[in-house]
Amino acid sequence: MQEASPTGPVQLASEAWWANVLLEHFGIAASLTPLDGEYDLNFAVHQEGTRTHVLKVMRPGCESSLIEVQCKALNHVAAHAPEVVVPRVVKAHDGSHFVSARDQDGEERLVWLITNLPGRLYAETSPQPPSLLREIGATLAKMDRALEDFAHPALGRSIKWDLRRSGWVRDAIDLIEGDGRREIVERIISEFEGDLLGRLTALPTTAIHNDINDYNMLVDASTGEPRLSGIIDFGDMIDSPAVAELAIAGAYAVLGQERPIAALAALVAGYDSVRPLSDEELALIYPLVLTRLAVSVTNSAIVKREKPDDPYVTVSEQPAWSFLETNSSLPPDWVLACLRVSCGRPGHPRADAVMGWIASHRGRFAPMFGRDLNGIPVIDLSVASPASPRNPFDLDPDDLDDAVAEAMGDSDIGLGRYGEPRLIYTGPEFRKTPYAGSHRRTVHIAVDVFIDAGTEVRAPLDGVVHAVELRTSPLDYGGVAVLEHATPGGDRFYTLYGHLAADVVTRLSPGQTVVAGEVIALIGDRAENGGWTPHIHFQLGLTTLGRGADWPGVADPDESAGWMELFPNGAALLNLANKDTAAVTVATETVLPQRKKRFADNLKLSYRAPLTLLRGYRQFLFDQYGRTYLDGYNNVPHVGHCHPRIVAAAARQNRLLNTNSRYLHPAQVEYAEALTSRLPDELSVCFFVNSGSEANELALRLARAHTGAVGTIVMDAGYHGNTNTAIDISPYKFNGPGGRGAPDWVEVVPVADPYRGPYKGSDPEAGRKYADHVRAAVERIQARDRRVAAFICEIFPSVGGQLIPPPGYYRHAYEAVRAAGGVCIADEVQTGLGRIGTHRWGFETQGVVPDIVVLGKPIGNGHPIGAVITTPAIAASFANGMEFFSTFGGSTLACVIGREVLRVVDEENLQAQALDVGTFMLDGLRGLQDDHVIIGDVRGSGLFIGVELVEDRDTLKPAQKTASYIVNRLREHRILIGTDGPFDNVLKIRPPLCFTREDGSHLLHRLAAVLREEPCRI
Ligand SMILES: Cc1ncc(COP(=O)(O)O)c(C=O)c1O
C-alpha cells in the first residue's frame, strides 16, 4: 500500500552497504539508488547505466512467510499466466528466493531480488484512456484466474487494507477535517456496515493482489497508445473475494478522470471479458470503490495527524476527495447500469422481465387519453429542428409553442420522441457547470404527448401511487405523479406522469391504488406545469432511484446509455410500437461511408474521429447529440454562427428578391458604399464574386489588364484558392503533394517569417531584408525579358503558419514592385474586417495601401461572398469592352447579408473584442510557453493566433505529431482549433469574433491540461 506510514520514517541504510550484500549473495555488481517504500527498503539496481533489478530489504523482524508468499505468487503467475507481466524472482547463490543479511546496525534483514519492469508508473501516466483501463481490467482478471489455485498460509493474515475490515475507519472519522467530508465517509461506512459487508463476506475467496493502486501498475506510452507494462508489489496479497481486487483497482481508476464512471466501466468490462462477473459481484463493485476511497482518505487523516507539516499528504489525498465530493452521491442504480451495459448486459437486472411483459401486452393497456395514439403527428424537437429553440442557450417558451403548433397542424394531439437529443433544455439545471459551453443534458428519456391543458390522463394499467408532488421550479415537472406496478411474475416497475395540473396532489396520495383506465390527473397549463407548452412527460422506470418523483427526464448524451437502460422507451404502455416514439438520430458511422462513396479522397475531413455537426450558434457548434463544441477555429462565421441578425436579414431578403447585378437595387450600392467607406480613399471600385478563389482570379486579371504584364511574385507557403490560376500562385499547393511546381510566370519569395525564416524578429532590419527578396524576384522576372504584373500575398500568412511579417516589409516590397510597374494585391481573405484587433485590415498595420484588396470568407459570415476592391485607374484598365459578370456575385441576397455583417461588426464592437480577447489569449499562451518547452513561439494579433510547436527550441525541429495530438485531444474536450504551417506544427486559433474571455480561458485551461499529457512532453 502506498499511503504513507503512520509509524514514522523508515531507517536509512547506505546504498553501498546493500550493494555489497547484492554482490555477495546474488553475484551482481551494481550501483543502487533508493526507491520509495512504506516500511521496507527498496533499491533500484543499475548495471552499466541500465536499471535491471529491484533489491528489496525487508524491515527487521519481517516474517519470512511474507516474502515467501510473494515469491511463490510471482512464480505462480509467471507460470500460469505468462501474458501478465510481473517481476521475476532472482534466486540467490544458494538457490533460495531470499537471504538474510545484517544491516549497518547489525540487525538481520531478509533480502530478495526481482527483475525490473519497463514503463512509468500509472500515477504518472496522462492521459489514462478507457483503452488502458480495459486492458488493466483484462490483465487483472487473467492474474486473478491464475491465482485461483494458489494457496499459502500467509494469505489468511489480517491486514487493515482488507476491504472486509474497512469498518476500522469509523473510529478515525473524527480525524477528518471538514463536516461535509466527515459526513461523506460516515455515509459510506454506514452503508458498508449495513448489508454490504455481509454480501461481500458471503462470496467465495481466492488469492488476490489486493493493492492495485496507481503506484503498482506500470505503463508504457512510448508507442503512442499507453499500454500496461507490468504489475508490481504483491506485498498486500490476501485471500479475499475476487471482486475486492476490481474494486480496489476501480478506486484508483476513477481518480482524476473527467468521466470517472466511464473509466470504471472500461476497467470492469475488461475484467468481465476474461473472468465473467456475477450479477452480485457487479452490484458490489461501486459501493466497494467508495468504501476503499473512504478508507484511503481516513488513512490520510491519520497520517496528517502524525505528520501535520507534510504537504504531500494533503496533495496525495486530493484526487480521492475531489472524486468523493463530486460523485459519492451518484445514483448507485445508474452507476450499476453503466457497469452492466459496459459488460453487454441489460442495465437493470429486471429489465428483460419487465420489458418482455410490457411488450407482450402492447395494445391491451388502457388508452392514456381515451383514444388511439397511432398515426398522430410527431413533433421534431431534435438538434436539427430549427423551430425550437431559436437560441440554444435560452429557450423562449413561445418558440416551443410555435414549433408544436406548426408540427401538429390540424391535429389536437402530437407525440414527442424518446431518446431524442434536444437543445430546448437551456436552464442552468441542465448544465454541468455555469459555462455556456459546458456539458449539458439533452437526451429526452421519456415520451411526450402534446395535448390541451385540462385533458384527462388515465392510468394505462393498475398500480399504486408511489409519489405525488408539485414541483414548482421553472422548467421542472409542475404536477407530477409516479405509479408503482408489478408484472404477474412480481417484477416491479414504475411510471411517471409529469407536467400535470396542480390538483394532482389532491387527487392522488401515496399508497393509493389506481386501476387501469382510471383518471389520475389533468394535463397542466403553463402556469402550473413548469412553464412548458401543455403536454405530458410519460416516463417508464425500472427504478425510482430512491428519489420519489424527482426523476431525471433528460440525460447527458455521454451518460445516456445507462439512463436509457433504467428508463426505457415506454411506447408499449401507450399501445405504440417502439419505433413510433424512438428518436431518429443521424449516426456519424452511417454518414461517413456514404460520404466516402460519393466524394473523392482529397476532400478531407477534420479530426481522427470526424464530427457531425447539425447546429451552430455564435461561437458554439452542436453535434447530433446536442453536445456543445467551442469553435476556436472557424473564421468564416465572422460575427458568429447563425447570428440572429444575419439569419433575419437573409430570411427577409429571401422572401423579397434574390437576383443578379444586371438590375438596379439599392442593396448593391449600399454594400459597395459601406465596404469602400471602410477602406482607404484610393480603393473605391468594387467587384463582387462568390469566393476568395474567384476574387483572386479576378484580381490577377485586373493586374494583367492594367500592366499588360504577367510576371507575378508570390510569397512561399501562400494560398489563394482552388481554381487553376489561384493554384498557380499558391506555393502551398503547387509545391505541395500533387503539385507541379511554379509556372514560369511566377516567382516565389521566402515567407516573411520572423520565427523560422532567415531573418528573425529580433533583427530591426528583418522587414527590409525580406523585402530585398521581392526586389530580387522583380530582377529575375526582368532578366527573363518579362515585366512584373503583380505581387500578391496574404498580408498575414495564414496557411504559412499564422505569421506576422516584420515591420517595414510591405513598404519596401511594395516600393520595389511599383518601381517595376507592377501592382500590389493584398489577400485579406483571412485577416480582414477586424480580426486582427488593432486594425480593420492587415495592410494598415504596416502603413501601406495596396492597389487591389481581395476579400472573402468572413465578409459573408458563411454566405459565399468574395470582393475585389481597387482603384478607379485599375478598374478603368480592366473595362476594356469585355463584359464582367458573375451570376451570383453581388446578388441582392449577398449584398444584404454583406451589409448586415459590416453593421454587426461595428455595432457589436467586434474588432475591439477581438483585440481584448486576443490579447488575453496571447498572454495566457505565453504563460503556457514558459511552462512547456514544446511551445517554441506564440504569435498573433487579435483573434489571429498561432502557437508553433517544436521539439527543440534551438534547431526548431517541428513537433508536427504533437500538434495533431493536441488538436485531436482538444476535440475530445469539445474545443475546435486547427493546425497549419509548412510543417503542420502550428496550432491555429482563429475563432468567430464573438469569442469571449470566458471562452478563451476555457480553451487555455483545457490546452494546459493536454500539454501536461505524455505525448506533449519532450
Ligand atoms: C488567404 C486565402 N485566400 C483565398 C482563399 C480562397 O477562398 P475560397 O475558399 O473562398 O475560394 C483562401 C481559402 O482558404 C485563403 O485562405
Side-chain angles (χ1 to χ4, degrees):
M1 186 61 222
Q2 278 305 310
E3 276 83 354
S5 155
T7 59
V10 290
Q11 185 192 354
L12 288 180
S14 89
E15 289 84 325
W17 178 274
W18 294 109
N20 275 337
V21 172
L22 177 66
L23 182 61
E24 185 186 330
H25 290 280
F26 295 89
I28 293 176
S31 61
L32 304 187
T33 50
L35 296 171
D36 286 344
E38 192 177 359
Y39 306 108
D40 310 314
L41 298 174
N42 291 321
F43 296 99
V45 176
H46 299 271
Q47 291 176 281
E48 289 168 12
T50 308
R51 183 165 149 170
T52 54
H53 297 84
V54 175
L55 184 71
K56 300 179 78 75
V57 180
M58 307 314 283
R59 61 193 170 277
C62 172
E63 282 171 40
S64 62
S65 67
L66 291 184
I67 304 164
E68 191 187 72
V69 64
Q70 293 182 64
C71 294
K72 289 197 165 164
L74 288 170
N75 288 339
H76 189 90
V77 172
H80 292 83
E83 68 278 29
V84 178
V85 182
V86 295
R88 296 297 171 110
V89 184
V90 180
K91 285 187 183 164
H93 277 329
D94 63 2
S96 58
H97 283 141
F98 51 91
V99 297
S100 180
R102 284 190 191 285
D103 66 16
Q104 285 161 297
D105 300 329
E107 293 214 64
E108 284 293 334
R109 294 218 183 189
L110 299 178
V111 179
W112 54 304
L113 184 69
I114 53 174
T115 54
N116 184 61
L117 298 184
R120 67 161 83 216
L121 296 173
Y122 176 88
E124 291 165 2
T125 306
S126 168
Q128 298 156 341
S131 56
L132 175 61
L133 289 159
R134 222 188 136 84
E135 188 191 14
I136 291 171
T139 309
L140 296 184
K142 286 177 197 161
M143 185 178 72
D144 287 354
R145 222 175 36 188
L147 288 171
E148 269 165 17
D149 55 0
F150 177 73
H152 191 280
L155 294 176
R157 73 195 192 284
S158 162
I159 60 171
K160 74 172 178 183
W161 299 109
D162 180 345
L163 260 181
R164 291 165 299 182
R165 298 191 58 225
S166 304
W168 67 261
V169 163
R170 178 163 294 291
D171 298 335
I173 284 181
D174 287 348
L175 295 178
I176 295 171
E177 284 162 17
D179 285 350
R181 289 185 165 187
R182 260 199 303 272
E183 270 162 26
I184 291 173
V185 172
E186 165 82 45
R187 182 162 37 84
I188 294 171
I189 290 304
S190 297
E191 276 169 30
F192 172 78
E193 290 166 336
D195 76 334
L196 197 55
L197 178 58
R199 287 167 67 191
L200 181 60
T201 44
L203 294 175
T205 63
T206 174
I208 63 165
H209 179 286
N210 195 41
D211 192 17
I212 299 297
N213 73 48
D214 45 358
Y215 285 82
N216 287 343
M217 292 181 282
L218 295 166
V219 175
D220 177 8
S222 59
T223 53
E225 183 91 334
R227 304 289 310 262
L228 183 70
S229 62
I231 295 173
I232 57 173
D233 194 354
F234 284 61
D236 282 342
M237 278 191 79
I238 52 167
D239 268 331
S240 171
V243 68
E245 186 90 295
L246 195 47
I248 292 167
Y252 293 92
V254 296
L255 300 186
Q257 292 277 359
E258 183 142 357
R259 295 180 54 212
I261 302 308
L264 179 64
L267 178 86
V268 170
Y271 194 97
D272 181 72
S273 68
V274 174
R275 190 182 170 281
L277 293 155
S278 66
D279 275 1
E280 176 67 350
E281 284 178 311
L282 272 167
L284 287 174
I285 292 170
Y286 190 58
L288 290 175
V289 164
L290 294 177
T291 306
R292 172 57 178 227
L293 289 170
V295 170
S296 177
V297 292
T298 309
N299 194 62
S300 296
I302 296 172
V303 178
K304 254 200 227 170
R305 187 188 48 183
E306 313 271 336
K307 302 181 190 171
D309 301 326
D310 186 349
Y312 176 73
V313 184
T314 309
V315 172
S316 65
E317 68 174 352
Q318 192 44 47
W321 275 124
S322 102
F323 175 81
L324 288 174
E325 283 170 338
T326 33
N327 298 291
S328 66
S329 38
L330 286 177
D333 281 348
W334 173 72
V335 178
L336 178 56
C338 296
L339 301 188
R340 292 179 58 97
V341 170
S342 75
C343 297
R345 321 234 176 129
H348 194 283
R350 290 197 299 276
D352 285 348
V354 170
M355 295 313 285
W357 181 80
I358 291 176
S360 69
H361 281 69
R362 196 189 314 263
R364 285 188 266 157
F365 293 105
M368 194 177 288
F369 298 100
R371 58 199 277 192
D372 184 3
L373 300 183
N374 282 284
I376 65 173
V378 175
I379 294 139
D380 178 15
L381 294 174
S382 71
V383 179
S385 157
S388 181
R390 296 220 158 80
N391 176 350
F393 294 98
D394 187 12
L395 170 74
D396 176 346
D398 292 341
D399 281 1
L400 187 58
D401 280 358
D402 294 348
V404 171
E406 194 183 324
M408 292 204 337
D410 292 339
S411 173
D412 62 343
I413 190 164
L415 266 186
R417 292 181 178 125
Y418 172 85
E420 185 171 67
R422 300 171 170 178
L423 297 178
I424 57 175
Y425 308 108
T426 57
E429 62 277 26
F430 295 101
R431 268 189 250 143
K432 224 167 213 160
T433 72
Y435 176 53
S438 144
H439 283 223
R440 66 197 237 187
R441 296 187 287 135
T442 57
V443 180
H444 187 238
I445 48 177
V447 179
D448 296 314
V449 181
F450 289 87
I451 193 162
D452 284 344
T455 308
E456 290 176 342
V457 180
R458 292 159 196 276
L461 73 171
D462 296 349
V464 175
V465 178
H466 173 80
V468 57
E469 251 187 82
L470 194 56
R471 300 179 61 86
T472 50
S473 310
L475 302 185
D476 207 325
Y477 287 132
V480 57
V482 173
L483 302 184
E484 180 179 330
H485 316 275
T487 66
D491 293 298
R492 245 175 313 119
F493 64 99
Y494 305 85
T495 49
L496 178 144
Y497 308 77
H499 309 305
L500 302 173
D503 71 355
V504 67
V505 291
T506 54
R507 287 174 180 259
L508 300 179
S509 51
Q512 180 183 333
T513 304
V514 297
V515 295
E518 181 180 333
V519 173
I520 52 171
L522 304 178
I523 294 285
D525 64 23
R526 226 201 238 182
E528 58 190 345
N529 79 353
W532 298 94
T533 307
H535 72 290
I536 193 162
H537 169 104
F538 173 63
Q539 189 163 345
L540 166 61
L542 295 165
T543 171
T544 63
L545 304 170
R547 286 189 183 174
D550 184 16
W551 299 12
V554 199
D556 181 325
D558 287 352
E559 299 174 347
S560 62
W563 290 117
M564 289 169 83
E565 291 283 318
L566 296 180
F567 300 102
N569 187 346
L573 292 164
L574 297 169
N575 299 317
L576 293 170
N578 280 15
K579 67 173 174 34
D580 293 342
T581 59
V584 190
T585 307
V586 188
T588 300
E589 303 71 40
T590 314
V591 179
L592 192 58
Q594 289 168 344
R595 160 155 166 152
K596 284 200 170 132
K597 191 164 152 201
R598 293 291 163 216
F599 298 95
D601 273 354
N602 50 357
L603 188 73
K604 294 285 180 214
L605 273 169
S606 296
Y607 303 114
R608 260 177 248 142
L611 271 175
T612 302
L613 296 171
L614 297 187
R615 187 122 196 228
Y617 194 79
R618 307 269 182 151
Q619 67 275 39
F620 295 104
L621 290 159
F622 297 90
D623 71 9
Q624 67 271 50
Y625 302 103
R627 297 192 192 106
T628 316
Y629 294 81
L630 174 64
D631 190 354
Y633 179 73
N634 287 294
N635 60 339
V636 174
H638 193 63
V639 299
H641 291 276
C642 305
H643 190 294
R645 280 182 58 179
I646 309 298
V647 172
R652 182 174 182 281
Q653 191 56 42
N654 258 323
R655 282 200 296 271
L656 287 170
L657 171 75
N658 186 17
T659 184
N660 62 58
S661 57
R662 285 200 174 116
Y663 309 101
L664 285 177
H665 192 288
Q668 279 146 9
V669 279
E670 261 181 40
Y671 183 37
E673 287 283 344
L675 258 186
T676 50
S677 72
R678 287 164 170 78
L679 283 157
D681 290 346
E682 301 87 316
L683 297 167
S684 59
V685 183
C686 296
F687 297 85
F688 292 136
V689 288
N690 306 116
S691 69
S693 308
E694 200 187 342
N696 278 321
E697 283 274 351
L698 180 61
L700 275 193
R701 283 180 66 199
L702 294 178
R704 287 174 183 179
H706 189 63
T707 59
V710 292
T712 303
I713 301 164
V714 301
M715 198 189 274
D716 204 1
Y719 178 62
H720 299 288
N722 62 44
T723 58
N724 280 303
T725 319
I727 287 173
D728 281 346
I729 55 170
S730 299
Y732 166 67
K733 289 284 174 201
F734 65 63
N735 281 337
R740 284 188 292 177
D744 64 359
W745 49 273
V746 168
E747 282 295 331
V748 181
V749 294
V751 61
D753 175 350
Y755 179 66
R756 187 176 280 282
Y759 319 115
K760 305 296 179 200
S762 51
D763 178 353
E765 287 295 301
R768 188 194 47 72
K769 287 179 183 168
Y770 279 113
D772 284 347
H773 288 272
V774 177
R775 208 174 294 278
V778 166
E779 285 162 12
R780 288 201 298 278
I781 289 173
Q782 289 166 339
R784 292 203 213 165
D785 279 345
R786 281 216 163 107
R787 284 186 302 114
V788 177
F791 168 46
I792 179 168
C793 70
E794 299 168 64
I795 291 292
F796 288 2
S798 181
V799 291
Q802 302 286 98
L803 299 166
I804 310 224
Y809 175 65
Y810 284 110
R811 188 163 53 80
H812 291 295
Y814 279 18
E815 266 169 27
V817 172
R818 283 173 178 153
V823 301
C824 299
I825 306 174
D827 183 335
E828 289 265 8
V829 166
Q830 293 279 348
T831 41
L833 215 54
R835 169 160 300 279
I836 58 171
T838 54
H839 298 80
R840 186 178 273 125
W841 313 108
F843 61 78
E844 290 174 310
T845 61
Q846 297 227 346
V848 295
V849 177
D851 304 299
I852 301 173
V853 169
V854 171
L855 304 178
K857 300 189 192 246
I859 58 169
N861 208 57
H863 191 81
I865 307 181
V868 179
I869 300 122
T870 190
T871 61
I874 293 177
S877 305
F878 182 58
N880 60 1
M882 182 192 288
E883 184 195 3
F884 167 73
F885 180 63
S886 167
T887 303
F888 303 113
S891 73
T892 349
L893 180 61
C895 291
V896 165
I897 291 175
R899 178 75 192 88
E900 193 66 2
V901 171
L902 295 178
R903 282 197 192 106
V904 173
V905 170
D906 287 354
E907 289 167 25
E908 294 188 2
N909 283 322
L910 292 180
Q911 182 179 324
Q913 182 161 338
L915 182 60
D916 175 64
V917 179
T919 308
F920 169 79
M921 294 283 296
L922 287 165
D923 285 348
L925 291 165
R926 290 192 178 114
L928 292 178
Q929 186 181 18
D930 293 341
D931 296 339
H932 300 277
V933 285
I934 197 152
I935 301 184
D937 192 33
V938 172
R939 55 191 174 238
S941 178
L943 288 171
F944 177 88
I945 294 174
V947 180
E948 180 146 3
L949 305 183
V950 290
E951 287 182 16
D952 183 319
R953 284 189 181 177
D954 294 326
T955 64
L956 307 191
K957 185 169 178 231
Q960 176 180 348
K961 265 188 165 169
T962 312
S964 159
Y965 175 81
I966 290 174
V967 166
N968 280 287
R969 279 292 283 156
L970 284 179
R971 176 239 181 272
E972 288 169 24
H973 285 291
R974 304 189 187 174
I975 296 172
L976 310 187
I977 66 164
T979 58
D980 235 325
F983 308 103
D984 244 348
N985 65 326
V986 181
L987 303 179
K988 174 154 91 174
I989 302 173
R990 207 189 40 176
L993 299 196
C994 50
F995 202 81
T996 63
R997 276 184 179 229
E998 196 184 12
D999 301 321
S1001 89
H1002 179 70
L1003 192 159
L1004 289 168
H1005 181 70
R1006 296 297 167 144
L1007 177 59
V1010 173
L1011 282 166
R1012 285 194 293 272
E1013 294 177 354
E1014 191 106 18
C1016 300
R1017 296 183 197 144
I1018 46 172

